[in-house]
Amino acid sequence: MAPDKVFGFYKQGNDWLCKARLPSDITIIVDGVNFHLHKFPLVSKCGKIACIFEELKSAHERTFTTKLEEFPGGLDTFLFAAKFCYGIRVEFTARNIIMVYCAADYLEMTDEYGEDNLLSKAKSFFLKNVLPNWKDCVLALRSCESCMPWAEKLNILQKCLNAVSTMVCTDPSLFGWPMMMYGSLQSPGGSILWNGINTGARIRSAKSDWWFEDISYFSVGLFERQIKTMEERGIRSVHLAGAVMYYARKYLPGLGRWQSTQSSKARTVASFNLTPTTVDQRVLVENIEKLLPKKKGKSFCRFLLGLLRVALILGVNQTCLDSLERRIGKQLELASLDGLLIPSFSDSDTLYETDCVERIIHHFVSSESGLTLFSPPSLDLISSPSCEPLRKVARLMDNYLAEVASDVNLKPGKIRSLAEVLPDSSRTFHDGLYRALDIYFKAHPWLSDREKEVLFNTIDYRKLSIDACAHASQNERLPLRIVLQVLFFEQMHLRTALASCLNVLEAENAPTGQGIATSETAGQIVQRDGWVTIVHENRVLKVDMDNMRSRVAELEEEISKIKQEMKKVTKSNSSLSYARIISRKLGCRLVSKSSDSQTDVVGSTAPTPRPSLEQPCSSRHRKSISLFQS
């Protein structure tokens, strides 16, 4: 009669009993549950039970009771081992093999106590059936949480991790079963099927992220071990970063709000029918930050900014926050404006985490410290390709300041520190700073003129464009002293522009060597002051200036004729008639003066008509402008 038909186990309350003709003579306690068993089946298979029985034998008692402390695998695993000792048929699976392996080692069920004992059978099944198979390896690792220390001691945990790492580098079509991403179009051998017929054609390449979903069922600690093992095995950091980001998005639902909308279907090799593991989100963020490789990329920078938001919400430790801010600062030129607009999750009154952004910029400046060695007006710094990250961050910060400036709780000292955190050489133009401060003045009408002047000291008037100067000269929100300074530098811009044109013309008429030197000097002046669009081709300029000279000659001749006629005019003519005669001779007509409306903010990029030029400044200044416009 087969042993499994004679014996059987059943549970009664908190006790497990064996269906046998003989009464139980040994009781083993595991995790508070009593197993009423028999000495002979256990002693013949388990070395540990045999040793305990020899120690208790001197007590001359009919029944013995012992307790197994920290039994690997718990109640189910001990019941599995007990059934094996009684000869009941048991089944090894990927879900129980590691726990059974550890339990067999704990109970010392070696071949010394019986041929083909539990330890040798479990080891054979593990090496032949689990390690070569991707799905079984993943399932085995997923189910070994309860006996992790014992599995680590037996080195079977590391063997599973190594096997998974090796198979990640292998074509999944060689594993012996199809990938779910290809559905029923692939045979178990990897060939493509057509109407159930093997075509012999193989899928040429598989996606590199096919394994992300499978290992995402691991706990945080096991996932960390797996990623570190893959790193030691030489798997590319870009794949490791993708796996870490996938794992973080799966267990941090809030992270997906600030990520790009691209969402690809989860790729896997088989259906595991597993539920996602339960994780502590704060611990997860702290571990994810340690696992992320040191890399750069727009999507990676966006992920880091999203992770920083979640970290601020969960209140992770300061070390993790500092590391995230340092990582973002080293690639700040790849960040986007919406990524930097981090809402304030602390007790602060401000809408955004401006302190956090300021620290990020400090990290960026320290990582780009070589750029600050140049003097601010250095042309080499502006034209150097290595300064492109600095210019991108400057534009990003101007846009950021314009967004946060509307916060009524933002202090003047904070917006000034944000404006001054970057070196002066990072901005070719200060139009963005002017726009941000104008928005700030509009949202904070209670600021005094003194506070506005202090904030406006962060702007270099020489770096304001003609449009910004025109807007600032009519801005009612600016103190009078600032408006006068803007008007002064606006006149300097015009003089520089006229001088640049004249220098270019002189370079055309000068000898070759001297002309080259003069044109280079003029070109530098134009580039430094931002008047690149004024200088045209030298030949075109020469023709234009010839036309202007002829026009000036005609005007002088016309004025001389007018003077001769004016001598004939009587002194009784009024000043109004006098002006009308002059305007009639010049072909002009008097226009009534109208009040110009003032705009609120400066346009972002498109040039606008200059209202300041419509108002009379000085007769000499107006005459010079009219000459160029004619």
Side-chain angles (χ1 to χ4, degrees):
M1 185 176 294
D4 57 341
K5 292 184 179 180
V6 175
F7 301 104
F9 288 86
Y10 64 98
K11 189 174 183 181
Q12 187 175 359
N14 197 39
D15 299 329
W16 276 94
L17 305 173
C18 177
K19 295 179 180 179
R21 299 188 182 98
L22 299 176
S24 173
D25 53 3
I26 185 172
T27 301
I28 298 179
I29 304 173
V30 177
D31 293 344
V33 178
N34 301 321
F35 287 85
H36 301 277
L37 307 174
H38 302 83
K39 290 181 291 185
F40 178 75
L42 297 179
V43 171
S44 62
K45 296 285 186 179
C46 304
K48 187 177 184 66
I49 302 297
C51 293
I52 294 175
F53 178 74
E54 291 294 329
E55 293 176 359
L56 298 176
K57 194 175 181 180
S58 58
H60 300 290
E61 295 181 1
R62 291 186 176 182
T63 59
F64 301 93
T65 302
T66 184
K67 185 177 182 180
L68 301 180
E69 300 288 347
E70 298 180 357
F71 187 83
L75 300 175
D76 295 336
T77 307
F78 181 79
L79 184 61
F80 185 97
K83 289 180 178 180
F84 181 85
C85 292
Y86 278 87
I88 300 176
R89 184 179 301 170
V90 292
E91 181 182 2
F92 294 98
T93 63
R95 297 175 186 267
N96 65 16
I97 185 59
I98 292 183
M99 294 181 289
V100 171
Y101 196 127
C102 296
D105 183 79
Y106 179 92
L107 294 173
E108 300 178 14
M109 300 179 69
T110 61
D111 290 347
E112 180 182 354
Y113 294 90
E115 188 177 358
D116 290 335
N117 209 343
L118 183 60
L119 183 60
S120 60
K121 283 183 173 293
K123 184 177 182 180
S124 176
F125 183 86
F126 175 76
L127 296 176
K128 293 180 180 180
N129 298 86
V130 176
L131 289 184
N133 190 291
W134 169 266
K135 179 180 178 181
D136 289 343
C137 251
V138 172
L139 288 174
L141 285 171
R142 176 67 171 81
S143 58
C144 71
E145 299 289 340
S146 60
C147 57
M148 190 81 72
W150 206 271
E152 184 72 26
K153 175 184 175 182
L154 296 177
N155 201 33
I156 55 178
L157 178 62
Q158 190 60 45
K159 288 180 179 179
C160 278
L161 296 174
N162 292 336
V164 169
S165 303
T166 302
M167 286 185 281
V168 163
C169 306
T170 309
D171 184 359
S173 63
L174 303 178
F175 294 167
W177 25 261
M179 293 183 65
M180 296 298 291
M181 56 184 290
Y182 296 112
S184 59
L185 296 179
Q186 186 182 5
S187 69
S191 300
I192 300 176
L193 299 179
W194 179 77
N195 288 340
I197 302 174
N198 191 342
T199 62
R202 299 181 64 85
I203 295 174
R204 295 182 180 179
S205 62
K207 297 291 184 179
S208 59
D209 59 349
W210 61 266
W211 49 278
F212 291 178
E213 172 67 15
D214 296 341
I215 68 171
S216 67
Y217 291 102
F218 293 168
S219 64
V220 177
L222 187 59
F223 180 81
E224 182 179 0
R225 288 284 305 272
Q226 184 65 75
I227 293 297
K228 290 182 178 179
T229 303
M230 290 180 175
E231 186 177 3
E232 294 172 357
R233 304 282 290 189
I235 296 178
R236 296 176 58 186
S237 60
V238 63
H239 299 324
L240 297 180
V244 174
M245 293 164 65
Y246 186 94
Y247 189 87
R249 291 192 186 104
K250 184 171 183 176
Y251 293 102
L252 298 173
L255 190 61
R257 299 179 184 176
W258 302 287
Q259 304 304 308
S260 57
T261 54
Q262 60 177 19
S263 58
S264 57
K265 185 179 179 180
R267 297 182 177 92
T268 181
V269 292
S271 178
F272 287 91
N273 295 324
L274 294 175
T275 57
T277 184
T278 304
V279 300
D280 185 340
Q281 291 187 335
R282 182 184 300 180
V283 176
L284 174 59
V285 172
E286 294 172 357
N287 282 270
I288 288 296
E289 187 278 323
K290 297 176 183 178
L291 293 177
L292 289 172
K294 297 179 180 179
K295 57 169 289 189
K296 282 189 174 184
K298 287 187 177 181
S299 60
F300 187 66
C301 183
R302 188 174 182 84
F303 172 81
L304 289 176
L305 286 168
L307 193 64
L308 178 60
R309 292 176 186 239
V310 177
L312 290 171
I313 295 174
L314 297 176
V316 301
N317 58 56
Q318 191 62 38
T319 303
C320 179
L321 288 176
D322 293 341
S323 181
L324 285 174
E325 292 172 357
R326 191 178 300 107
R327 285 173 177 267
I328 297 170
K330 291 182 179 180
Q331 50 187 313
L332 186 57
E333 70 276 9
L334 302 176
S336 59
L337 177 60
D338 59 336
L340 280 181
L341 292 173
I342 304 174
S344 178
F345 302 105
S346 59
D347 297 334
S348 176
D349 295 333
T350 58
L351 296 177
Y352 300 100
E353 287 284 353
T354 53
D355 294 337
C356 178
V357 173
E358 186 176 359
R359 291 192 297 267
I360 291 174
I361 302 172
H362 278 298
H363 290 307
F364 170 78
V365 173
S366 61
S367 64
E368 302 286 338
S369 56
L371 299 177
T372 60
L373 299 177
F374 294 92
S375 58
S378 175
L379 296 176
D380 295 335
L381 177 62
I382 296 176
S383 59
S384 174
S386 61
C387 300
E388 185 62 25
L390 191 62
R391 292 195 293 267
K392 287 183 178 180
V393 172
R395 292 192 293 268
L396 178 64
M397 279 308 302
D398 290 345
N399 294 329
Y400 178 81
L401 288 172
E403 289 292 334
V404 302
S406 58
D407 182 7
V408 295
N409 293 321
L410 187 64
K411 303 299 181 182
K414 175 54 64 176
I415 195 169
R416 181 177 181 180
S417 62
L418 288 172
E420 294 178 343
V421 68
L422 288 174
D424 295 337
S425 56
S426 61
R427 293 180 173 92
T428 308
F429 295 100
H430 279 199
D431 290 13
L433 273 180
Y434 169 71
R435 175 172 173 264
L437 290 181
D438 186 55
I439 295 174
Y440 186 77
F441 293 160
K442 186 177 181 180
H444 302 74
W446 55 83
L447 291 177
S448 63
D449 288 350
R450 176 58 182 167
E451 290 175 322
K452 292 181 179 180
E453 291 175 4
V454 171
L455 285 177
F456 228 81
N457 287 336
T458 59
I459 294 180
D460 187 353
Y461 300 101
R462 295 171 298 179
K463 293 185 177 182
L464 288 177
S465 68
I466 194 68
D467 293 326
C469 289
H471 185 275
S473 62
Q474 303 180 67
N475 195 341
E476 295 180 349
R477 289 183 285 272
L478 299 183
L480 181 59
R481 180 178 299 181
I482 294 177
V483 175
L484 294 176
Q485 290 177 342
V486 170
L487 288 173
F488 172 75
F489 282 99
E490 184 182 13
Q491 293 181 0
M492 289 185 60
H493 281 322
L494 294 174
R495 292 177 182 177
T496 304
L498 294 174
S500 302
C501 294
L502 294 176
N503 288 335
V504 171
L505 289 175
E506 292 177 0
E508 283 292 323
N509 298 327
T512 307
Q514 183 179 0
I516 294 175
T518 307
S519 63
E520 289 179 356
T521 305
Q524 289 180 357
I525 294 174
V526 170
Q527 288 182 5
R528 183 172 65 246
D529 291 334
W531 291 91
V532 182
T533 59
I534 295 179
V535 180
H536 302 286
E537 295 292 339
N538 293 338
R539 294 180 180 178
V540 178
L541 282 174
K542 185 176 181 181
V543 174
D544 293 340
M545 292 304 295
D546 290 341
N547 294 334
M548 283 190 287
R549 287 193 183 99
S550 62
R551 178 62 177 162
V552 170
E554 293 176 0
L555 290 173
E556 289 178 352
E557 184 179 357
E558 188 74 20
I559 290 174
S560 63
K561 292 180 181 180
I562 294 174
K563 287 182 179 179
Q564 293 176 1
E565 293 182 5
M566 290 300 299
K567 293 178 181 179
K568 302 176 182 180
V569 179
T570 61
K571 296 182 180 180
S572 62
N573 291 334
S574 64
S575 59
L576 181 59
S577 301
Y578 175 75
R580 287 178 178 175
I581 292 173
I582 294 178
S583 62
R584 188 185 306 113
K585 293 298 182 180
L586 290 176
C588 303
R589 61 186 179 89
L590 295 177
V591 181
S592 60
K593 185 176 180 182
S594 60
S595 59
D596 297 332
S597 60
Q598 298 177 352
T599 56
D600 288 340
V601 295
V602 181
S604 58
T605 56
T608 58
R610 293 187 51 201
S612 60
L613 292 180
E614 298 177 3
Q615 301 177 359
C617 298
S618 65
S619 61
R620 182 180 177 183
H621 185 80
R622 184 173 61 253
K623 181 180 179 181
S624 300
I625 298 301
S626 65
L627 291 179
F628 277 95
Q629 293 176 346
S630 59

